[in-house]
């Protein structure tokens, strides 16, 4: 891997090394930018996405996101092959060039690509610990998803299914889009461990 | 009010000792004020919002909420219900239970007298029973699934406040799913990645603009859209009226696929197709076989948006079971002529069509197959995601398809406990069973059942606690249920009314109705047109208390009052908190809401509908780009066959949609002894069993019995005439009903609306007949399949005869026998 090279270039670019090379998480759905001046918005990155901080200029951080995408749709990154936990959605396939890391095929015969991107985000959307993000989702799930009906068990739906379920229930549970995302990400993380579905 | 004083006075005193005094005081409290002392208070219900006429401190009438386009007649019965003879006025304990506690003779439930006790005594009994069962057997011995539809309001949700209290006490066994959509809500996430049945639909304006055919498939919105889970807004009715006009002009054809001519079919004078009950899947397979063999199905749609068509195709063409699902094959099963099925398929293919399916069809043996097959048909037609076309499974529910307003959400009370204390709830881990397997669980402790790919072991239930529901109406196979109930040590119920369920209880705590307490609610489940104040307009009737208050007092006795109240001093503090959270959410999205005080004074906030929401099409995003907008299935596409289900390896739910014979139907051998298929659709003038105890009964009953629809041919064969009292029976049970001889029902099919109150001829006697018309005397208590374990209320055969026996008067609308003390 060329990790050292990336870090080296980030040392040259950055005015601060506070976060450089560190693993971190996106703490809320946020815009991603082409450059540190935040002038050109190129897409969005999802809550709870694991990232690596490469460099820092002012309030902005350059981050690396790695995930799996359907072949031909490399601008939409998921956690894994066939596991649709959204990471990064860029507006198109051209503005940013993906770095291809691996190839794969899912059980339905569709081709996937493991790719990474380097993009810029505001530093306020980064957190060092996933637990803080998870906790928000856990609390919201407990307090909002058992008001009309009995609270469903986390394993009742799969990681792929949960976002559709939450999207449907969002207005009735009194959830803002961001709150729904906290719940989604919490449920998806929990479901992935020990699902019997696929 | 004198009510409060009386309660204070009574605190701690023995009721029996002061019986005379109470009678006097009760009499005092019945004196109303002058009618000129009047006000209008805004409130809401599952039937709609209204302004309550309060005259002399009493609830005497209603005016429908001004924004309701078609108020339901049901709101007019609310004053009657409030002062109904069936009100539970005081805490009550079954005589045997008061004497012997949990060691009582449980076969006496339903026939014992009730004894009036003080609130102190009742709360002490309830609290000590909860403590005893938690201590001796653990939380998995208490069933508190407490399914039901009683009342609206974000605070006074009796199920939730009771679950909150029970969680504090150490936990309980809960439920998964519901009775309405038990099968569909489990199969559809495998097929389309979401539950579908409780989701906003393609907007009505788009349906009216684009569709040439609108099919109501086992759906009756003219009846069922009267009610909603939140306060009903009736937003769909103006669109239904427009559809009627378009139909009359010949612009849109309206179809009804249903064994009955229901209210919706009557309203539209729909083109009717009447398959035999439970055979819709076979009919659809015939349609698909025709589309396939005539090379007309949308191959491009199947290729691009679905996976697993091949396995289904092999089945359809007969490659798997050597039975091609031809029009002839389908016609033999469903009873609809080949030419009719073929023409229907052709029309739907040739023109833009919207298939609006209901849920009654999936409350059947193998009910999972219906919605799966219909999705498959819609895929072969290729119109999913096209504006106004495709399929929709919630147009008949909560006014689905009414464009959503730009409103914030509104939260409510939950079972989440904020406390650092190391209380009994810390040990509790949710343990739930499929809702409709409740009786099977009570009858068979230790038994293991399949459910959606996992095994669930039934715990041994000792206590059942019910608030806001009437399981002795809604559960299938009444007599098996009564038998199972004998196994329970304790059955506790909160109820405003002496329902069939309250009559089976050991302890009944009198609960208030909505008009007796403050609350807050949304109007329109899907479209959220308003947030409405539900204002307390009268004092609680007699000694009734709010479920919240009852559960607070029990929590206090358990030592955890603060955990229950979350430190809030009043109920209004909760309501205000829900409102403020909603308001700040609204502000985030640029929607203005007044201060809580202004809102409470005015009584409602109304939200605007944005243009984009009038143009909402389900699956449009998916159709535009399935890779960017994947569905929640493993493949991200519509799964016509499912690898996940294949792995489960179930014999009663294959991995592709298929016709599997129900345990009873008109083609089965049981039909020799019981040749009529009974259906139990939603009632027109009730919400399930609610309002059965009001004058609305007079609008539909036949000689004081629930009506049964029977075809002229079937009636003649049995010498039954319009208005006769008949006995409907099978090996599971029997009920009386009043015959309505009508062509509105297919020959071979009869119909009793669900929810008529169970009135046993001889309470306590094994398999005694219901003399009023409880259809669940006749239904089967079985899971739909190993996949979903939903109820199968619409799968049952019966026989009917004219009833010549002695008619006992209906007694379920009077109070049970009550004694003032032991």
């Amino acid at each position: 891997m060329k990790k050292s090279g990336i870090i080296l270039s980030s040392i040259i670019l950055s005015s601060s090394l506070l976060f450089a090379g560190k693993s971190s998480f996106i703490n809320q759905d946020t815009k991603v930018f082409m450059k540190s001046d935040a002038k050109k918005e190129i897409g969005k990155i999802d809550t709870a996405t694991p990232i690596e901080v490469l460099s820092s200029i002012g309030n902005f951080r350059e981050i690396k996101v790695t995930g799996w995408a359907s072949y031909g749709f490399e601008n939409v990154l998921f956690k894994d092959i066939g596991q649709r936990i959204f990471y990064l959605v860029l507006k198109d396939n051209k503005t940013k060039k993906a770095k291809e890391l691996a190839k794969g095929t899912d059980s339905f015969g569709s081709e996937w690509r493991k790719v990474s991107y380097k993009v810029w985000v505001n530093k306020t959307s980064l957190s060092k610990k996933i637990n803080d993000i998870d906790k928000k989702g856990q609390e919201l799930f407990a307090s909002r998803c058992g008001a009309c009906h009995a609270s469903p068990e986390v394993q009742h739906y799969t990681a792929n299914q949960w976002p559709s379920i939450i999207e449907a229930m969002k207005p009735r549970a009194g959830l803002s889009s961001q709150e729904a995302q906290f719940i989604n990400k919490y449920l998806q993380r929990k479901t992935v461990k020990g699902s019997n579905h696929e | 009010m004198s009510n409060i004083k009386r309660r204070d006075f009574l605190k701690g005193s023995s009721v029996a000792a002061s019986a005379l005094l109470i009678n006097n005081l009760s009499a005092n409290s019945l004196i109303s004020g002058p009618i000129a002392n009047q006000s209008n208070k805004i409130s809401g219900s599952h039937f709609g919002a209204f302004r309550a006429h309060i005259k002399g401190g009493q609830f005497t009438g209603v005016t429908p909420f001004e924004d309701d386009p078609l108020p339901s007649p049901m709101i007019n019965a609310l004053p009657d219900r409030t002062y109904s003879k069936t009100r539970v006025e005081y805490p009550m304990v079954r005589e045997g239970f008061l004497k012997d506690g949990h060691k009582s003779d449980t076969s006496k439930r339903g026939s014992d007298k009730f004894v009036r006790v003080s609130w102190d005594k009742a709360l002490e009994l309830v609290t000590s029973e909860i403590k005893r069962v938690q201590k001796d057997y653990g939380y998995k011995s208490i069933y508190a699934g407490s399914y039901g539809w009683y009342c609206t309001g974000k605070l006074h949700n009796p199920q939730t406040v009771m679950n909150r209290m029970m969680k504090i006490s150490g936990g309980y066994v809960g439920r998964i799913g519901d009775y309405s959509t038990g099968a569909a809500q489990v199969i559809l996430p495998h097929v389309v990645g979401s539950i579908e049945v409780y989701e906003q639909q393609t907007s009505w304006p788009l349906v009216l603009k684009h569709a040439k055919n609108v099919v109501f498939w086992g759906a009756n919105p003219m009846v069922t859209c009267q009610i909603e889970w939140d306060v009903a807004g009736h937003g769909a009715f103006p669109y239904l009226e427009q559809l009627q006009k378009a139909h009359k002009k010949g612009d849109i054809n309206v179809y009804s696929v249903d064994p009955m001519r229901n209210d919706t079919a009557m309203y539209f004078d729909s083109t009717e197709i009447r398959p035999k009950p439970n055979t819709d899947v076979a009919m659809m397979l015939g349609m698909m076989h025709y589309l396939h063999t005539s090379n007309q199905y949308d191959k491009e749609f199947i290729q691009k948006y679905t996976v697993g068509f091949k396995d289904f195709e092999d089945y359809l063409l007969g490659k798997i079971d050597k039975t091609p699902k031809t029009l002839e094959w389908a016609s033999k099963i469903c009873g609809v002529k080949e030419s009719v099925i073929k023409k229907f398929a052709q029309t739907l293919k040739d023109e833009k069509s919207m298939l609006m399916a209901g849920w009654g069809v999936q409350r059947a043996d193998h009910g999972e197959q219906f919605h799966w097959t219909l999705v498959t048909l819609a895929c072969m037609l290729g119109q999913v995601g096209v504006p106004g076309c495709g399929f929709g499974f919630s147009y008949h529910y909560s006014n689905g398809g009414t464009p959503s307003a730009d409103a914030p959400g509104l939260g409510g009370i939950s079972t989440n406990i904020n406390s650092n204390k190391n209380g009994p709830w810390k040990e509790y881990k949710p343990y739930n069973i499929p809702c409709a397997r409740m009786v099977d669980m009570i009858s068979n402790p230790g038994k293991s059942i399949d459910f959606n790919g996992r095994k669930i072991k039934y715990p041994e239930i000792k206590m059942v606690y019910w608030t806001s529901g009437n399981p002795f109406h809604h559960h299938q196979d009444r007599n098996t249920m009564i038998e199972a109930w004998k196994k329970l040590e304790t059955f506790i119920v909160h109820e405003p009314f002496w329902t069939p369920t309250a009559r089976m209880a050991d302890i009944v705590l009198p609960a208030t109705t909505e008009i007796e307490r403050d609350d807050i609610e949304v109007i329109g489940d899907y479209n959220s047109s308003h947030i409405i104040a539900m204002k307390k307009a009268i004092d609680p009737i007699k000694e009734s208390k709010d479920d919240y208050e009852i559960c607070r007092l029990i929590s206090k006795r358990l030592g955890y009052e603060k955990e229950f109240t979350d430190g809030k001093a009043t109920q209004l503090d909760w309501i205000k908190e829900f409102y403020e959270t909603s308001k700040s959410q609204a502000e985030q999205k640029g929607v203005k809401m007044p201060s809580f005080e202004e809102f409470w004074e005015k009584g409602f906030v109304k939200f605007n509908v944005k243009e984009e929401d009038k143009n909402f099409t389900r699956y449009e995003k998916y159709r535009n780009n399935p890779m960017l907008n994947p569905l929640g299935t493993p493949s991200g596409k519509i799964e016509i066959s499912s690898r996940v289900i294949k792995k489960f390896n179930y014999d009663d739910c294959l991995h592709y949609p298929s016709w599997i014979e129900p345990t009873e139907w008109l083609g089965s051998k049981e039909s020799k002894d019981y040749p009529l298929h009974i259906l139990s659709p939603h009632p027109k003038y009730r919400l399930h069993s609610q309002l059965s105890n009001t004058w609305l009964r007079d609008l539909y009953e036949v000689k004081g019995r629930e009506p049964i629809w029977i075809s002229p041919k079937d009636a003649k064969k049995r010498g039954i005439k319009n208005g006769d009292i008949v006995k409907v029976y099978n090996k599971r049970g029997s009920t009386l009903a009043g015959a309505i001889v009508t062509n509105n029902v297919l020959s071979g099919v009869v119909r009793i609306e669900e929810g008529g109150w169970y009135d046993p001829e001889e309470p306590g006697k094994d398999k005694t007949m219901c003399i009023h018309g409880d259809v669940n005397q006749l239904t089967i208590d079985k899971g739909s399949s190993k996949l979903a374990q939903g109820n199968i209320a619409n799968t049952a055969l019966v026989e009917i005869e004219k009833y010549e026996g002695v008619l006992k008067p209906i007694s379920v609308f009077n109070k049970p026998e009550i004694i003032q003390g032991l």
Side-chain angles (χ1 to χ4, degrees), chain A residues 76 84 107 147 161 172 174 196, chain B residues 157 160 198 453 585 634-635 643:
Chain A
V76 185
R84 294 180 177 78
S107 59
Q161 288 166 346
R172 282 165 281 176
N196 63 353
Chain B
N157 180 333
T160 310
Y198 297 131
Q585 203 187 98
S635 62
R643 290 177 187 188

Side-chain angles (χ1 to χ4, degrees), chain B residues 238-256:
Chain B
Y239 297 113
L240 290 163
E241 197 184 332
Q242 286 179 45
L243 178 61
Q244 192 198 43
K245 280 184 189 144
H247 178 54
K248 276 183 183 159
K249 271 172 66 185
D251 294 342
I252 301 179
N253 300 315
V254 181
Y255 289 85
S256 166

Side-chain angles (χ1 to χ4, degrees), chain B residues 473-685:
Chain B
H473 120 70
H474 74 232
H475 193 79
Q476 287 61 51
D477 192 352
R478 185 74 56 248
N479 292 316
T480 299
M481 181 177 186
I482 288 168
E483 201 50 39
W485 236 248
K486 291 176 187 167
K487 289 185 101 113
L488 301 172
E489 290 181 354
T490 314
F491 180 36
I492 301 172
V493 171
H494 298 186
E495 252 298 335
F497 311 106
W498 283 109
T499 61
T501 299
R503 286 160 200 268
M504 289 295 291
D506 296 322
I507 304 171
V508 188
L509 302 179
T512 52
T513 66
E514 288 121 312
I515 203 74
E516 295 153 65
R517 60 206 187 198
D518 287 322
D519 215 324
I520 186 168
E521 190 53 279
V522 169
I523 299 183
D525 292 14
Y526 290 126
N527 62 311
S528 306
S529 62
H530 305 69
I531 291 177
I532 183 179
M534 293 173 57
K535 292 194 179 181
K536 178 178 171 176
I538 59 167
D539 284 319
I541 297 295
K542 301 293 173 72
E543 287 191 9
S544 307
K545 286 185 193 292
D546 307 333
D547 293 279
Y548 177 90
E549 182 63 7
I550 298 170
C551 292
R552 181 187 72 83
L553 290 169
I554 295 168
S555 301
K556 189 178 176 181
R557 282 166 188 261
L558 291 167
Y560 297 107
E561 183 185 10
K562 211 176 153 202
E563 278 64 30
F564 182 81
T565 62
D566 204 33
K568 293 179 180 66
T570 67
Q571 293 184 5
L572 213 59
D573 290 346
W574 284 99
I575 295 166
K576 201 171 167 181
E577 183 181 288
F578 303 149
Y579 184 85
E580 296 295 355
T581 307
S582 188
K583 185 168 181 275
S584 72
Q585 203 187 98
E587 272 158 15
Q588 277 173 35
K589 53 194 255 177
V591 174
K592 275 195 174 170
M593 281 169 69
S595 71
F596 177 75
E597 289 69 25
E598 286 170 83
F599 154 74
W600 195 252
E601 175 64 31
K602 190 184 176 194
F604 64 93
V605 192
K606 187 177 182 176
F607 301 100
N608 297 319
V609 181
K610 288 200 285 194
E611 211 49 44
E612 62 191 75
D613 290 309
K614 291 180 190 160
N615 292 309
F616 172 72
T617 298
R618 258 193 104 60
Y619 294 107
E620 187 176 41
K621 277 193 200 163
Y622 175 65
R623 192 178 178 108
N624 289 344
N625 192 336
M627 304 310 279
L628 253 183
N629 305 289
L631 305 181
T633 52
S635 62
K637 296 184 175 181
I638 298 173
E639 302 213 343
I640 291 176
S641 68
S642 162
R643 290 177 187 188
V644 176
I645 295 176
K646 192 173 188 176
K647 263 199 280 180
F648 296 166
N649 198 25
Y650 293 152
D651 55 358
D652 53 3
C653 183
L654 308 179
H655 69 285
Y656 46 81
S658 59
W659 155 252
I660 310 170
E661 272 195 57
T663 181
E664 286 182 13
W665 68 294
L666 291 175
S668 65
K669 61 177 190 297
E670 287 81 2
S671 67
K672 283 191 184 120
D673 294 331
Y674 303 106
L676 300 168
H677 194 121
I678 191 158
L679 295 173
S680 45
H682 278 232
K684 181 172 177 173
Y685 288 125

